Amino acid sequence: MVFFIIMFNKNTQVYLDYASTSPVSEDVLNAMKPYFSEKYGNASSLHSIGQDSNLAIKHAREKVASILNCNAYEIIFTSSGTESDNLALKGIAEANNFKGHIIVSKIEHKAILETATYLEKRGLDITYINVDKKGHVNPKDVINAIRSDTFLVSIMYANNEIGTIQNISSIGNQVQKKGILMHTDAVQAPGLLDLNIEKLHVDMMSLSAHKFYGPKGVGALYVRPGIQIAPQILGGSQERGMRASTENVAGIVGFSEALCLADANREKEVCRLSELRDYLISEIQNQIPKAILTGDMKNRLPNNISFCFEAVEGESLVMRLSQRGFCVSSASACSSGNIGASHVLLACGIKKDVALGSLRVTLGKFTKKKDLERFVIALKASLNTNGFFQKIRT
Ligand code: PLP
């Protein structure tokens, strides 16, 4: 019977987990297709088939640069957002002989936090900046944490769990004025926020294609010219020697196509998604007593809805919703499978037993209002299975 329910729902599932990953859009897939079998050349080969690939990468790099407002040679294509974050932090740290001080926030993605922990073991000092209840980093706290040996600040643009958007422009401006490098993990931002590196005052920025309807397995790191970073993957001279390995031509083409589409649709999509987000937040708040909204209502990604429910286990709530045909996640999808409360929610001051009942719903280009109307009904029913409504009455 359970098997039947799951099988049935697989055909009628509503995907509300776009912050985890997104489907490759048809236009992106069509742009990529020739580079799998027709135009399969190695971009380093001198012959014409190789040069076709080389040219495709050149054009892709130019397109990405036009959106970031930088020069094409300042983009390094990588295999993921995780690799871009690793390259930014480890690359700078190694160029600095693993000496000195780095500042990160407590709510960074694990790709930053685990890298920071690794660098600590290699001898660096790391300051982990606190956030307020809504997940904001106070720019003053960053500036106050700066020491004479600080060489890098890394603060994420928008949080993947609670959707809080940081004031990167203000932090970056002050950090750069002190002569310190500013990196931002902008993996959740494309298609939703402005990626102009000059307005943001950033020296490095990490991106990942699968978050904006591009393929999995391709990311990018923007690096301002003049910054010394040590490559973390050694071998050939691809990506100006900053990242060896035969280029993923189809992936890079897909990355640039997806980023252009995301940017072109941004204004319209932000309006549409914000309305849907606000609708769902207010429906949950009105219909589910004691639902605790996490993150900030104002500086929030247009597609993020995140709540905690007391006395509920987030992961089982996700399973129940999945059985009812809705794909959502608890805390961070990347850390699902790890038992324990989300470091982001704990950093926001949410108690552990409450944080364990977290739910994240993230909207995307296929989300319709009627999906959300049905979702609220499914959420209430799923919470009821847990005895939630009885428990909160007592
Ligand atoms: N940074 C943030 C903010 C993310 O949300 C993610 C993925 O969820 C990553 C980094 C890692 O990106 P990737 O999955 O491309 O390695």
Side-chain angles (χ1 to χ4, degrees):
M1 182 59 184
V2 172
F3 178 69
F4 172 73
I5 293 170
I6 292 169
M7 286 302 290
F8 174 77
N9 277 326
K10 271 204 167 165
N11 297 325
T12 57
Q13 273 174 357
V14 175
Y15 189 75
L16 297 172
D17 199 15
Y18 287 87
S20 266
T21 195
S22 58
V24 175
S25 77
E26 213 179 305
D27 289 340
V28 171
L29 191 59
N30 287 335
M32 291 172 69
K33 266 182 194 162
Y35 297 95
F36 287 108
S37 49
E38 257 172 69
K39 302 181 176 187
Y40 51 84
N42 183 324
S44 302
S45 302
L46 291 178
H47 50 65
S48 62
I49 296 182
Q51 287 307 297
D52 281 351
S53 294
N54 196 294
L55 199 62
I57 293 176
K58 182 175 178 284
H59 287 154
R61 209 184 298 280
E62 284 164 359
K63 283 186 188 173
V64 173
S66 72
I67 289 164
L68 270 54
N69 186 28
C70 65
N71 294 306
Y73 66 89
E74 295 163 29
I75 306 291
I76 300 171
F77 287 113
T78 66
S79 70
S80 62
T82 299
E83 190 193 324
S84 299
D85 285 345
N86 271 259
L87 178 57
L89 266 65
K90 287 184 193 162
I92 295 284
E94 191 178 332
N96 221 44
N97 293 321
F98 297 106
K99 289 197 183 90
H101 176 234
I102 291 181
I103 298 171
V104 301
S105 85
K106 280 193 179 163
I107 62 163
E108 296 300 309
H109 189 273
K110 293 279 179 179
I112 293 288
L113 289 178
E114 290 296 315
T115 306
T117 306
Y118 163 82
L119 291 174
E120 237 172 345
K121 286 185 195 140
R122 296 289 309 256
L124 265 97
D125 277 345
I126 314 280
T127 296
Y128 298 88
I129 299 286
N130 285 320
V131 293
D132 67 14
K133 283 182 181 162
K134 294 176 177 177
H136 288 294
V137 171
N138 185 339
K140 275 192 199 142
D141 291 344
V142 176
I143 303 311
N144 290 339
I146 290 175
R147 312 187 326 201
S148 58
D149 59 346
T150 307
F151 59 90
L152 176 67
V153 171
S154 178
I155 307 287
M156 71 198 316
Y157 196 174
N159 185 267
N160 47 306
E161 294 184 25
I162 57 174
T164 302
I165 301 166
Q166 304 299 342
N167 191 347
I168 292 300
S169 163
S170 165
I171 299 171
N173 193 13
Q174 296 178 65
V175 165
Q176 284 183 336
K177 276 188 183 147
K178 300 235 173 223
I180 292 160
L181 298 176
M182 177 75 198
H183 167 254
T184 191
D185 173 340
V187 166
Q188 292 291 337
L192 301 171
L193 302 174
D194 190 355
L195 297 178
N196 185 323
I197 49 105
E198 294 303 341
K199 285 190 194 158
L200 287 171
H201 295 279
V202 294
D203 301 299
M204 291 185 288
M205 179 157 80
S206 301
L207 298 169
S208 175
H210 74 101
K211 305 290 185 179
F212 48 89
Y213 310 100
K216 292 170 185 58
V218 56
L221 180 68
Y222 157 73
V223 183
R224 196 175 284 280
I227 296 178
Q228 296 299 314
I229 65 171
Q232 299 301 304
I233 295 181
L234 306 176
S237 59
Q238 293 90 352
E239 299 300 300
R240 292 189 292 118
M242 297 315 301
R243 201 266 180 190
S245 163
T246 300
E247 294 92 341
N248 171 5
V249 187
I252 289 170
V253 168
F255 183 111
S256 71
E257 190 69 19
L259 192 66
C260 288
L261 288 170
D263 203 61
N265 297 329
R266 183 159 65 91
E267 226 176 280
K268 237 172 79 192
E269 201 52 358
V270 163
C271 277
R272 194 185 73 86
L273 290 173
S274 304
E275 259 181 46
L276 290 176
R277 173 199 64 191
D278 295 348
Y279 165 78
L280 185 55
I281 289 177
S282 73
E283 284 301 297
I284 292 176
Q285 285 177 327
N286 291 337
Q287 297 199 40
I288 302 173
K290 292 198 181 168
I292 302 160
L293 179 72
T294 53
D296 186 15
M297 213 31 237
K298 218 170 102 217
N299 296 310
R300 185 181 198 101
L301 282 175
N303 70 338
N304 176 289
I305 296 106
S306 59
F307 277 91
C308 281
F309 302 98
E310 263 178 73
V312 170
E313 212 238 294
E315 299 234 309
S316 50
L317 182 59
V318 167
M319 293 311 292
R320 283 181 218 282
L321 283 163
S322 172
Q323 285 166 5
R324 289 184 163 85
F326 292 91
C327 301
V328 293
S329 65
S330 180
S332 164
C334 296
S335 62
S336 285
N338 290 347
I339 304 163
S342 137
H343 67 282
V344 174
L345 298 176
L346 295 178
C348 292
I350 295 170
K351 287 200 194 109
K352 187 175 176 191
D353 55 334
V354 177
L356 287 171
S358 75
L359 182 74
R360 180 188 73 178
V361 179
T362 45
L363 318 178
K365 70 173 177 178
F366 297 112
T367 311
K368 304 272 179 303
K369 189 167 178 193
K370 69 172 182 343
D371 299 331
L372 304 184
E373 289 165 358
R374 285 180 44 228
F375 175 75
V376 177
I377 298 168
L379 176 59
K380 281 164 69 181
S382 302
L383 286 167
N384 221 5
T385 331
N386 276 342
F388 175 77
F389 290 98
Q390 281 84 355
K391 279 183 204 154
I392 58 164
R393 256 181 237 120
T394 54

